[in-house]
Amino acid sequence: PRRGEATKLRMAFVPAPIPHDEEERIATLLELEVMDTETEEVFDAIAAVTKRIFDAKITSITFIDRSRQWSKSCFGLDNFCGTLETPRDSGFCSHVVGSGRKDPLVIPDTLEDENFKHNPFVTNEPHLRFYAGAPLIASNGISLGTLCILDTQPRIFSKIDERRLMRYASSVVSALEMRKAVKDAMEIIEGEAENDEEY
């Protein structure tokens, strides 16, 4: 685009807001020790089932830290899922976290939504046209990221679909918190074993 057009696009692009509980949210995310970890079967299984059930082009389990949104598991287009992290400001999922919502954010057609029609993932590859993201709400009520589905064509997403996506998102959080509980338990057991050896 020409210089004037580029300026217009930058002005039209709406970055994701920062939630009021950002510091507590980041602390919870760090405590769960999930960012930048390897793929894990349980999260891949949830993402794969979600993709199949909704017949989605892309499905991702995404967490948001201070500057980026990072995918723990992603299935779909290689040119999208091949990039595990994207800038926080331009991420769809960042809008879910930033709004503090407790239900899915659904955008049936991105080109019809003023907040997203100029998003770089809409105007450029993979030219996303549909988004539905359910917040990953930890047991302390903090939103850590999303379980989301995306498509390159507009879609209709019913209230039944929204409830189903929320159930799958809850299973992600259950797996995440159980993962942390198991790790903590193992550290306690290993610590006690070391103490026993000293005696």
Short mmCIF file of all heavy atoms in Angstrom, two decimals, residues 43-51 54 58-63 73-75 93 96-97 104-105 131-137 143-150 157 162 164-173:
data_model
loop_
_atom_site.label_atom_id
_atom_site.label_comp_id
_atom_site.label_asym_id
_atom_site.label_seq_id
_atom_site.Cartn_x
_atom_site.Cartn_y
_atom_site.Cartn_z
N PHE A 43 -2.46 -32.37 25.70
CA PHE A 43 -2.89 -31.14 25.07
C PHE A 43 -3.08 -31.33 23.56
O PHE A 43 -4.02 -30.79 22.96
CB PHE A 43 -1.89 -30.03 25.36
CG PHE A 43 -1.75 -29.72 26.82
CD1 PHE A 43 -0.61 -30.09 27.52
CD2 PHE A 43 -2.77 -29.08 27.51
CE1 PHE A 43 -0.48 -29.83 28.87
CE2 PHE A 43 -2.66 -28.81 28.87
CZ PHE A 43 -1.51 -29.19 29.55
N ASP A 44 -2.20 -32.12 22.96
CA ASP A 44 -2.36 -32.43 21.53
C ASP A 44 -3.67 -33.18 21.29
O ASP A 44 -4.35 -32.96 20.28
CB ASP A 44 -1.18 -33.25 21.02
CG ASP A 44 0.07 -32.42 20.79
OD1 ASP A 44 -0.03 -31.18 20.85
OD2 ASP A 44 1.14 -33.01 20.54
N ALA A 45 -4.02 -34.07 22.20
CA ALA A 45 -5.25 -34.85 22.05
C ALA A 45 -6.48 -33.95 22.11
O ALA A 45 -7.41 -34.08 21.31
CB ALA A 45 -5.33 -35.92 23.13
N ILE A 46 -6.48 -33.01 23.06
CA ILE A 46 -7.62 -32.09 23.18
C ILE A 46 -7.74 -31.22 21.93
O ILE A 46 -8.83 -31.02 21.39
CB ILE A 46 -7.48 -31.21 24.43
CG1 ILE A 46 -7.55 -32.07 25.69
CG2 ILE A 46 -8.58 -30.14 24.47
CD1 ILE A 46 -7.19 -31.33 26.97
N ALA A 47 -6.60 -30.70 21.46
CA ALA A 47 -6.62 -29.85 20.26
C ALA A 47 -7.08 -30.64 19.04
O ALA A 47 -7.86 -30.13 18.22
CB ALA A 47 -5.24 -29.26 20.02
N ALA A 48 -6.62 -31.87 18.90
CA ALA A 48 -6.98 -32.70 17.75
C ALA A 48 -8.47 -33.03 17.76
O ALA A 48 -9.14 -32.97 16.71
CB ALA A 48 -6.14 -33.97 17.74
N VAL A 49 -9.00 -33.38 18.93
CA VAL A 49 -10.43 -33.68 19.03
C VAL A 49 -11.27 -32.45 18.72
O VAL A 49 -12.29 -32.52 18.02
CB VAL A 49 -10.77 -34.23 20.44
CG1 VAL A 49 -12.28 -34.25 20.66
CG2 VAL A 49 -10.20 -35.63 20.61
N THR A 50 -10.84 -31.31 19.24
CA THR A 50 -11.56 -30.05 18.97
C THR A 50 -11.60 -29.75 17.48
O THR A 50 -12.65 -29.37 16.94
CB THR A 50 -10.88 -28.88 19.72
OG1 THR A 50 -10.87 -29.17 21.12
CG2 THR A 50 -11.63 -27.58 19.49
N LYS A 51 -10.48 -29.94 16.81
CA LYS A 51 -10.42 -29.69 15.37
C LYS A 51 -11.38 -30.62 14.62
O LYS A 51 -12.10 -30.19 13.71
CB LYS A 51 -9.00 -29.89 14.85
CG LYS A 51 -8.80 -29.56 13.37
CD LYS A 51 -7.35 -29.72 12.97
CE LYS A 51 -7.12 -29.25 11.54
NZ LYS A 51 -7.92 -30.00 10.56
N PHE A 54 -15.30 -29.82 15.42
CA PHE A 54 -15.80 -28.60 14.80
C PHE A 54 -15.44 -28.49 13.32
O PHE A 54 -15.79 -27.49 12.68
CB PHE A 54 -15.26 -27.37 15.55
CG PHE A 54 -15.85 -27.19 16.91
CD1 PHE A 54 -15.13 -27.50 18.05
CD2 PHE A 54 -17.15 -26.73 17.07
CE1 PHE A 54 -15.66 -27.34 19.32
CE2 PHE A 54 -17.71 -26.56 18.33
CZ PHE A 54 -16.96 -26.88 19.46
N ILE A 58 -8.14 -24.69 11.57
CA ILE A 58 -7.04 -24.55 12.53
C ILE A 58 -7.61 -24.64 13.95
O ILE A 58 -8.68 -24.08 14.23
CB ILE A 58 -6.33 -23.20 12.39
CG1 ILE A 58 -5.79 -23.00 10.97
CG2 ILE A 58 -5.18 -23.07 13.40
CD1 ILE A 58 -5.36 -21.57 10.68
N THR A 59 -6.90 -25.34 14.83
CA THR A 59 -7.22 -25.36 16.25
C THR A 59 -5.94 -25.11 17.04
O THR A 59 -4.89 -25.67 16.70
CB THR A 59 -7.83 -26.70 16.68
OG1 THR A 59 -9.02 -26.94 15.94
CG2 THR A 59 -8.16 -26.69 18.16
N SER A 60 -6.02 -24.29 18.07
CA SER A 60 -4.82 -23.97 18.85
C SER A 60 -5.15 -23.83 20.33
O SER A 60 -6.20 -23.29 20.69
CB SER A 60 -4.18 -22.68 18.35
OG SER A 60 -3.04 -22.33 19.11
N ILE A 61 -4.25 -24.33 21.17
CA ILE A 61 -4.26 -24.04 22.61
C ILE A 61 -3.19 -22.98 22.82
O ILE A 61 -2.01 -23.25 22.63
CB ILE A 61 -3.95 -25.30 23.44
CG1 ILE A 61 -5.06 -26.35 23.25
CG2 ILE A 61 -3.80 -24.94 24.92
CD1 ILE A 61 -4.76 -27.68 23.90
N THR A 62 -3.62 -21.80 23.18
CA THR A 62 -2.74 -20.63 23.18
C THR A 62 -2.68 -19.97 24.54
O THR A 62 -3.72 -19.77 25.19
CB THR A 62 -3.23 -19.61 22.13
OG1 THR A 62 -3.29 -20.23 20.85
CG2 THR A 62 -2.30 -18.41 22.07
N PHE A 63 -1.47 -19.63 24.97
CA PHE A 63 -1.26 -18.90 26.22
C PHE A 63 -0.66 -17.53 25.91
O PHE A 63 0.12 -17.38 24.97
CB PHE A 63 -0.35 -19.70 27.16
CG PHE A 63 -0.95 -21.00 27.61
CD1 PHE A 63 -0.65 -22.18 26.94
CD2 PHE A 63 -1.84 -21.03 28.66
CE1 PHE A 63 -1.22 -23.39 27.34
CE2 PHE A 63 -2.42 -22.22 29.06
CZ PHE A 63 -2.10 -23.41 28.40
N SER A 73 -0.22 -26.19 21.64
CA SER A 73 -0.58 -27.21 20.65
C SER A 73 -1.35 -26.54 19.53
O SER A 73 -2.22 -25.71 19.78
CB SER A 73 -1.43 -28.31 21.31
OG SER A 73 -1.76 -29.31 20.37
N CYS A 74 -1.03 -26.89 18.30
CA CYS A 74 -1.70 -26.28 17.15
C CYS A 74 -1.81 -27.31 16.02
O CYS A 74 -0.83 -27.98 15.68
CB CYS A 74 -0.92 -25.05 16.68
SG CYS A 74 -1.74 -24.11 15.37
N PHE A 75 -3.00 -27.41 15.46
CA PHE A 75 -3.24 -28.30 14.33
C PHE A 75 -3.91 -27.52 13.22
O PHE A 75 -4.83 -26.75 13.46
CB PHE A 75 -4.14 -29.48 14.74
CG PHE A 75 -3.47 -30.49 15.61
CD1 PHE A 75 -3.47 -30.33 16.99
CD2 PHE A 75 -2.83 -31.58 15.07
CE1 PHE A 75 -2.85 -31.25 17.82
CE2 PHE A 75 -2.21 -32.52 15.89
CZ PHE A 75 -2.22 -32.36 17.26
N CYS A 93 -6.49 -14.14 20.19
CA CYS A 93 -6.65 -14.69 21.54
C CYS A 93 -6.37 -13.64 22.62
O CYS A 93 -6.94 -13.70 23.71
CB CYS A 93 -5.74 -15.89 21.72
SG CYS A 93 -6.08 -17.25 20.57
N VAL A 96 -9.43 -11.99 23.82
CA VAL A 96 -10.24 -12.76 24.77
C VAL A 96 -9.72 -12.53 26.18
O VAL A 96 -10.48 -12.24 27.11
CB VAL A 96 -10.20 -14.27 24.42
CG1 VAL A 96 -11.01 -15.06 25.43
CG2 VAL A 96 -10.72 -14.51 23.01
N VAL A 97 -8.41 -12.65 26.34
CA VAL A 97 -7.79 -12.46 27.66
C VAL A 97 -7.94 -11.01 28.12
O VAL A 97 -8.28 -10.74 29.27
CB VAL A 97 -6.30 -12.85 27.61
CG1 VAL A 97 -5.58 -12.44 28.89
CG2 VAL A 97 -6.16 -14.36 27.40
N PRO A 104 -16.95 -17.60 25.24
CA PRO A 104 -16.16 -17.51 24.01
C PRO A 104 -16.36 -16.19 23.26
O PRO A 104 -17.45 -15.60 23.27
CB PRO A 104 -16.69 -18.69 23.17
CG PRO A 104 -17.27 -19.64 24.15
CD PRO A 104 -17.86 -18.76 25.23
N LEU A 105 -15.28 -15.76 22.63
CA LEU A 105 -15.37 -14.66 21.67
C LEU A 105 -15.57 -15.30 20.31
O LEU A 105 -14.75 -16.12 19.87
CB LEU A 105 -14.08 -13.84 21.68
CG LEU A 105 -13.92 -12.82 20.55
CD1 LEU A 105 -14.99 -11.74 20.64
CD2 LEU A 105 -12.52 -12.20 20.58
N TYR A 131 -13.24 -16.82 13.69
CA TYR A 131 -12.53 -17.09 14.94
C TYR A 131 -13.53 -17.37 16.05
O TYR A 131 -14.55 -16.68 16.19
CB TYR A 131 -11.66 -15.90 15.36
CG TYR A 131 -11.01 -16.06 16.71
CD1 TYR A 131 -9.79 -16.70 16.84
CD2 TYR A 131 -11.64 -15.59 17.87
CE1 TYR A 131 -9.19 -16.87 18.09
CE2 TYR A 131 -11.05 -15.75 19.12
CZ TYR A 131 -9.84 -16.39 19.22
OH TYR A 131 -9.25 -16.56 20.45
N ALA A 132 -13.24 -18.40 16.84
CA ALA A 132 -13.98 -18.65 18.08
C ALA A 132 -12.96 -19.08 19.12
O ALA A 132 -12.25 -20.08 18.93
CB ALA A 132 -15.04 -19.73 17.88
N GLY A 133 -12.86 -18.33 20.21
CA GLY A 133 -11.88 -18.62 21.24
C GLY A 133 -12.52 -18.66 22.62
O GLY A 133 -13.15 -17.69 23.04
N ALA A 134 -12.37 -19.80 23.31
CA ALA A 134 -12.88 -19.94 24.67
C ALA A 134 -11.75 -19.67 25.66
O ALA A 134 -10.65 -20.22 25.50
CB ALA A 134 -13.45 -21.34 24.89
N PRO A 135 -12.00 -18.84 26.67
CA PRO A 135 -10.93 -18.53 27.63
C PRO A 135 -10.53 -19.74 28.46
O PRO A 135 -11.37 -20.56 28.82
CB PRO A 135 -11.56 -17.43 28.51
CG PRO A 135 -13.03 -17.67 28.40
CD PRO A 135 -13.26 -18.16 27.00
N LEU A 136 -9.23 -19.83 28.73
CA LEU A 136 -8.70 -20.86 29.63
C LEU A 136 -8.63 -20.25 31.03
O LEU A 136 -7.70 -19.51 31.35
CB LEU A 136 -7.31 -21.31 29.17
CG LEU A 136 -7.23 -21.89 27.75
CD1 LEU A 136 -5.79 -22.23 27.38
CD2 LEU A 136 -8.13 -23.13 27.62
N ILE A 137 -9.65 -20.51 31.83
CA ILE A 137 -9.80 -19.86 33.12
C ILE A 137 -9.29 -20.77 34.22
O ILE A 137 -9.84 -21.85 34.47
CB ILE A 137 -11.27 -19.48 33.38
CG1 ILE A 137 -11.77 -18.58 32.25
CG2 ILE A 137 -11.42 -18.78 34.73
CD1 ILE A 137 -13.25 -18.27 32.31
N SER A 143 -7.76 -15.63 33.54
CA SER A 143 -7.74 -16.12 32.16
C SER A 143 -6.30 -16.15 31.65
O SER A 143 -5.62 -15.13 31.62
CB SER A 143 -8.59 -15.21 31.26
OG SER A 143 -8.58 -15.69 29.93
N LEU A 144 -5.85 -17.34 31.24
CA LEU A 144 -4.46 -17.54 30.84
C LEU A 144 -4.26 -17.54 29.34
O LEU A 144 -3.16 -17.28 28.84
CB LEU A 144 -3.95 -18.87 31.40
CG LEU A 144 -4.09 -19.05 32.91
CD1 LEU A 144 -3.71 -20.47 33.29
CD2 LEU A 144 -3.23 -18.03 33.64
N GLY A 145 -5.30 -17.85 28.60
CA GLY A 145 -5.18 -17.95 27.15
C GLY A 145 -6.49 -18.45 26.58
O GLY A 145 -7.55 -18.20 27.15
N THR A 146 -6.43 -19.22 25.49
CA THR A 146 -7.65 -19.72 24.87
C THR A 146 -7.46 -21.09 24.25
O THR A 146 -6.34 -21.50 23.93
CB THR A 146 -8.15 -18.79 23.73
OG1 THR A 146 -7.28 -18.93 22.60
CG2 THR A 146 -8.23 -17.34 24.15
N LEU A 147 -8.57 -21.76 24.10
CA LEU A 147 -8.68 -22.87 23.15
C LEU A 147 -9.49 -22.28 22.01
O LEU A 147 -10.63 -21.86 22.22
CB LEU A 147 -9.40 -24.06 23.77
CG LEU A 147 -9.80 -25.17 22.78
CD1 LEU A 147 -8.58 -25.81 22.14
CD2 LEU A 147 -10.67 -26.23 23.47
N CYS A 148 -8.90 -22.21 20.83
CA CYS A 148 -9.58 -21.51 19.75
C CYS A 148 -9.62 -22.34 18.47
O CYS A 148 -8.81 -23.24 18.25
CB CYS A 148 -8.92 -20.16 19.46
SG CYS A 148 -7.24 -20.28 18.81
N ILE A 149 -10.62 -22.03 17.65
CA ILE A 149 -10.71 -22.59 16.31
C ILE A 149 -10.79 -21.43 15.32
O ILE A 149 -11.37 -20.38 15.62
CB ILE A 149 -11.91 -23.54 16.15
CG1 ILE A 149 -13.24 -22.80 16.34
CG2 ILE A 149 -11.81 -24.70 17.12
CD1 ILE A 149 -14.44 -23.68 16.05
N LEU A 150 -10.16 -21.62 14.17
CA LEU A 150 -10.10 -20.57 13.16
C LEU A 150 -10.36 -21.19 11.79
O LEU A 150 -10.12 -22.38 11.57
CB LEU A 150 -8.72 -19.89 13.16
CG LEU A 150 -8.21 -19.39 14.51
CD1 LEU A 150 -7.20 -20.41 15.07
CD2 LEU A 150 -7.56 -18.03 14.40
N PHE A 157 -21.67 -20.15 14.28
CA PHE A 157 -21.28 -20.84 15.50
C PHE A 157 -22.42 -20.69 16.49
O PHE A 157 -22.69 -19.59 16.98
CB PHE A 157 -19.99 -20.25 16.05
CG PHE A 157 -19.15 -21.18 16.86
CD1 PHE A 157 -18.52 -22.28 16.28
CD2 PHE A 157 -18.96 -20.96 18.22
CE1 PHE A 157 -17.73 -23.13 17.03
CE2 PHE A 157 -18.16 -21.81 18.98
CZ PHE A 157 -17.55 -22.90 18.38
N GLU A 162 -20.73 -23.01 21.35
CA GLU A 162 -20.00 -22.23 22.34
C GLU A 162 -19.86 -23.00 23.65
O GLU A 162 -18.77 -23.03 24.25
CB GLU A 162 -20.72 -20.90 22.61
CG GLU A 162 -20.64 -19.91 21.45
CD GLU A 162 -21.24 -18.57 21.82
OE1 GLU A 162 -21.21 -18.22 23.03
OE2 GLU A 162 -21.73 -17.86 20.92
N ARG A 164 -19.95 -26.22 24.06
CA ARG A 164 -19.05 -27.35 23.84
C ARG A 164 -17.59 -26.90 23.84
O ARG A 164 -16.73 -27.55 24.45
CB ARG A 164 -19.40 -28.03 22.50
CG ARG A 164 -18.51 -29.21 22.16
CD ARG A 164 -18.97 -29.87 20.87
NE ARG A 164 -20.25 -30.52 21.07
CZ ARG A 164 -21.03 -30.93 20.05
NH1 ARG A 164 -20.65 -30.73 18.81
NH2 ARG A 164 -22.16 -31.55 20.30
N LEU A 165 -17.31 -25.78 23.20
CA LEU A 165 -15.94 -25.27 23.18
C LEU A 165 -15.48 -24.91 24.59
O LEU A 165 -14.32 -25.14 24.95
CB LEU A 165 -15.85 -24.04 22.26
CG LEU A 165 -14.44 -23.49 21.99
CD1 LEU A 165 -13.57 -24.55 21.31
CD2 LEU A 165 -14.52 -22.23 21.12
N MET A 166 -16.38 -24.36 25.41
CA MET A 166 -16.04 -24.03 26.79
C MET A 166 -15.71 -25.29 27.59
O MET A 166 -14.81 -25.29 28.43
CB MET A 166 -17.17 -23.26 27.46
CG MET A 166 -17.25 -21.78 27.10
SD MET A 166 -15.76 -20.84 27.55
CE MET A 166 -15.75 -21.03 29.34
N ARG A 167 -16.44 -26.37 27.34
CA ARG A 167 -16.15 -27.63 28.04
C ARG A 167 -14.76 -28.14 27.68
O ARG A 167 -14.01 -28.61 28.55
CB ARG A 167 -17.20 -28.69 27.71
CG ARG A 167 -18.56 -28.45 28.34
CD ARG A 167 -19.40 -29.71 28.36
NE ARG A 167 -19.68 -30.21 27.02
CZ ARG A 167 -20.69 -29.84 26.27
NH1 ARG A 167 -21.55 -28.93 26.71
NH2 ARG A 167 -20.87 -30.36 25.07
N TYR A 168 -14.41 -28.05 26.42
CA TYR A 168 -13.08 -28.49 25.99
C TYR A 168 -12.00 -27.59 26.59
O TYR A 168 -10.92 -28.05 26.96
CB TYR A 168 -12.97 -28.49 24.47
CG TYR A 168 -13.88 -29.50 23.78
CD1 TYR A 168 -14.15 -29.41 22.42
CD2 TYR A 168 -14.46 -30.54 24.49
CE1 TYR A 168 -14.97 -30.32 21.79
CE2 TYR A 168 -15.29 -31.45 23.86
CZ TYR A 168 -15.54 -31.35 22.51
OH TYR A 168 -16.36 -32.25 21.89
N ALA A 169 -12.30 -26.29 26.68
CA ALA A 169 -11.35 -25.36 27.30
C ALA A 169 -11.14 -25.71 28.77
O ALA A 169 -10.02 -25.65 29.28
CB ALA A 169 -11.84 -23.92 27.15
N SER A 170 -12.21 -26.08 29.45
CA SER A 170 -12.10 -26.49 30.85
C SER A 170 -11.22 -27.72 31.00
O SER A 170 -10.47 -27.85 31.98
CB SER A 170 -13.49 -26.77 31.43
OG SER A 170 -14.26 -25.59 31.49
N SER A 171 -11.28 -28.63 30.02
CA SER A 171 -10.45 -29.82 30.09
C SER A 171 -8.97 -29.47 29.91
O SER A 171 -8.10 -30.12 30.50
CB SER A 171 -10.89 -30.84 29.03
OG SER A 171 -10.59 -30.42 27.72
N VAL A 172 -8.69 -28.43 29.13
CA VAL A 172 -7.31 -27.96 28.99
C VAL A 172 -6.79 -27.47 30.34
O VAL A 172 -5.68 -27.82 30.76
CB VAL A 172 -7.20 -26.83 27.94
CG1 VAL A 172 -5.79 -26.22 27.95
CG2 VAL A 172 -7.54 -27.34 26.56
N VAL A 173 -7.60 -26.67 31.03
CA VAL A 173 -7.19 -26.13 32.33
C VAL A 173 -7.03 -27.25 33.35
O VAL A 173 -6.07 -27.26 34.14
CB VAL A 173 -8.21 -25.09 32.83
CG1 VAL A 173 -7.85 -24.62 34.23
CG2 VAL A 173 -8.26 -23.90 31.88
#
